[in-house]
């Protein structure tokens, strides 16, 4: 298969290349690989950044929920003190409120840990990465629905699974799918009608342009807000830590207030 050179910096390269029809499928496959590889690298960058900031943010959220819990206790006790009876206050008890907040904290912690556990981008050697790309290229040519518009729904599902395996660097998964579909011939190899081939080539040209636009988008940091945060990482961390300090001060004040209420009327706490 002839190699097609691409220049993604030139927005008009799609037109200037003047790709021949027989070269178009190979060109589209390379665009798909480039697009998916860029998306994979963005996921890695985003994950490593959010894992770092996430630990600080998680502490901030926990303190915020603790503030809510203590504020609920103070509010309930102050109302009870004015009415001389906790039973007159129809709201949820501080114990139940505390239980609900602790559930929320646990859910946040679990979700945060799940993100870390599910990020399965494995480190591969150069030889393994080359094998991954070659197998993925073969899968694209056979069951990618944009290159093979006649594939069945079952094969489309298999294609989506292959996309996930590629993002995860799951070489074993990619090899398994490649072996499953080894006997399938690419659609353009099985179509003899000139009109039908012309129709598919026209579709591929439009698809290739869409892929180029996607690659340009993935390559432009201004379209990814989290990159802006990364550029200001020190300031982001400082802002969160300042908020944490503020929450801790407020918690101390609320605890002092609760202790004061408790000394005045032990039955209310």
């Amino acid at each position: 298969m002839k190699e097609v050179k691409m220049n993604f910096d030139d927005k008009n390269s799609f037109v200037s290349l003047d790709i021949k029809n027989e070269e178009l499928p190979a060109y589209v496959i390379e665009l798909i690989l480039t697009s998916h590889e860029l998306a994979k690298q963005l996921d890695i960058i985003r994950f490593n950044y959010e894992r770092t900031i996430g630990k600080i943010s998680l502490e901030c959220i926990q303190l915020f929920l603790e503030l809510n819990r203590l504020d609920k206790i103070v509010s309930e006790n102050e109302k009870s003190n004015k009415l001389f009876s906790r039973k007159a206050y129809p709201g949820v008890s501080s114990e139940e409120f505390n239980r609900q907040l602790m559930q929320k904290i646990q859910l946040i912690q679990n979700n945060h840990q799940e993100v870390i556990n599910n990020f399965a981008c494995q480190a591969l050697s150069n030889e393994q990465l080359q094998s991954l790309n070659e197998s993925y290229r073969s899968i694209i040519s056979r069951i990618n629905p944009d290159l093979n518009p006649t594939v069945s729904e079952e094969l489309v599902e298999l294609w989506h699974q292959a996309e996930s395996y590629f993002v995860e660097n799951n070489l074993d998964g990619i090899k398994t799918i490649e072996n499953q579909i080894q006997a399938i011939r690419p659609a353009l190899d099985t179509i003899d009608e000139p009109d039908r081939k012309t129709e598919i080539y026209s579709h591929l040209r439009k698809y290739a342009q869409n892929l180029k636009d996607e690659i340009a988008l993935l390559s432009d940091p201004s379209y990814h807000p989290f990159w802006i945060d990364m550029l200001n990482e020190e300031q982001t961390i400082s802002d969160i830590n300042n908020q944490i300090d503020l929450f801790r001060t407020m918690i101390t004040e609320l605890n002092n207030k609760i202790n004061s209420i408790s000394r005045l009327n032990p039955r209310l706490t």
Side-chain angles (χ1 to χ4, degrees):
M1 189 173 287
K2 185 176 179 180
E3 181 180 357
V4 181
K5 294 183 179 180
M6 296 171 286
N7 179 8
F8 299 124
D9 295 328
D10 179 6
K11 293 184 178 179
N12 297 316
S13 61
F14 175 76
V15 178
S16 62
L17 278 172
D18 191 24
I19 303 169
K20 296 179 181 178
N21 278 348
E22 61 270 19
E23 298 172 342
L24 189 57
Y27 175 63
V28 171
I29 288 173
E30 293 306 317
L31 285 175
I32 292 173
L33 278 168
T34 302
S35 173
H36 290 183
E37 186 62 43
L38 278 171
K40 182 196 300 184
Q41 294 304 317
L42 281 174
D43 280 344
I44 294 172
I45 293 170
R46 181 183 295 109
F47 169 76
N48 287 329
Y49 172 71
E50 291 182 349
R51 183 175 58 178
T52 301
I53 302 299
K55 294 177 182 177
I56 305 172
S57 299
L58 181 60
E59 181 182 357
C60 193
I61 293 170
Q62 288 174 315
L63 290 172
F64 172 75
L65 293 177
E66 176 67 7
L67 267 175
N68 277 271
R69 183 183 75 83
L70 295 176
D71 187 60
K72 175 70 174 179
I73 293 174
V74 170
S75 175
E76 182 174 291
N77 286 337
E78 285 182 340
K79 289 183 179 181
S80 298
N81 193 34
K82 289 178 181 179
L83 298 173
F84 303 102
S85 172
R86 290 187 63 183
K87 295 181 180 179
Y89 182 60
V92 178
S93 68
S94 59
E95 291 81 4
E96 174 61 19
F97 191 77
N98 180 39
R99 187 188 66 80
Q100 293 176 9
L101 284 178
M102 291 305 104
Q103 283 184 338
K104 291 181 182 178
I105 290 177
Q106 190 61 52
L107 180 62
I108 293 168
Q109 289 176 322
N110 292 343
N111 288 343
H112 184 72
Q113 191 62 46
E114 186 178 0
V115 170
I116 295 175
N117 293 341
N118 288 347
F119 195 85
C121 190
Q122 307 167 31
L124 300 179
S125 66
N126 290 336
E127 292 77 14
Q128 289 173 321
L129 284 173
Q130 182 178 352
S131 178
L132 180 80
N133 286 337
E134 289 174 355
S135 295
Y136 191 51
R137 186 178 288 107
S138 173
I139 292 171
I140 293 171
S141 69
R142 286 172 167 79
I143 64 172
N144 176 285
D146 288 291
L147 277 84
N148 303 278
T150 59
V151 294
S152 65
E153 291 184 7
E154 289 78 11
L155 288 177
V156 171
E157 288 297 321
L158 211 56
W159 160 247
H160 291 317
Q161 184 64 66
E163 286 183 299
S164 297
Y165 285 154
F166 182 75
V167 170
E168 296 169 359
N169 278 0
N170 188 335
L171 182 57
D172 291 338
I174 285 289
K175 287 293 185 183
T176 298
I177 291 180
E178 183 184 25
N179 292 333
Q180 286 180 267
I181 63 171
Q182 197 66 49
I184 298 176
R185 295 173 62 191
L188 286 168
D189 292 349
T190 63
I191 297 175
D192 297 323
E193 302 86 350
D195 289 345
R196 179 59 174 152
K197 278 197 171 183
T198 300
E199 180 183 346
I200 293 177
Y201 285 134
S202 177
H203 164 76
L204 287 182
R205 286 185 175 275
K206 293 178 182 177
Y207 182 50
Q209 186 59 58
N210 290 337
L211 285 170
K212 283 194 62 193
D213 292 342
E214 179 181 302
I215 289 170
L217 191 66
L218 290 171
S219 304
D220 187 350
S222 66
Y223 283 93
H224 305 279
F226 76 93
W227 275 4
I228 297 175
D229 290 338
M230 288 179 64
L231 294 175
N232 301 301
E233 182 172 355
E234 289 185 7
Q235 184 61 46
T236 301
I237 293 174
S238 175
D239 290 344
I240 296 175
N241 278 326
N242 288 338
Q243 192 67 45
I244 287 174
D245 290 339
L246 175 61
F247 284 167
R248 284 176 175 159
T249 300
M250 294 171 68
I251 285 174
T252 299
E253 292 175 354
L254 284 173
N255 274 321
N256 290 337
K257 196 167 188 178
I258 290 172
N259 291 333
S260 175
I261 294 172
S262 175
R263 286 193 296 271
L264 290 173
N265 195 339
R267 294 178 301 169
L268 299 180
T269 58

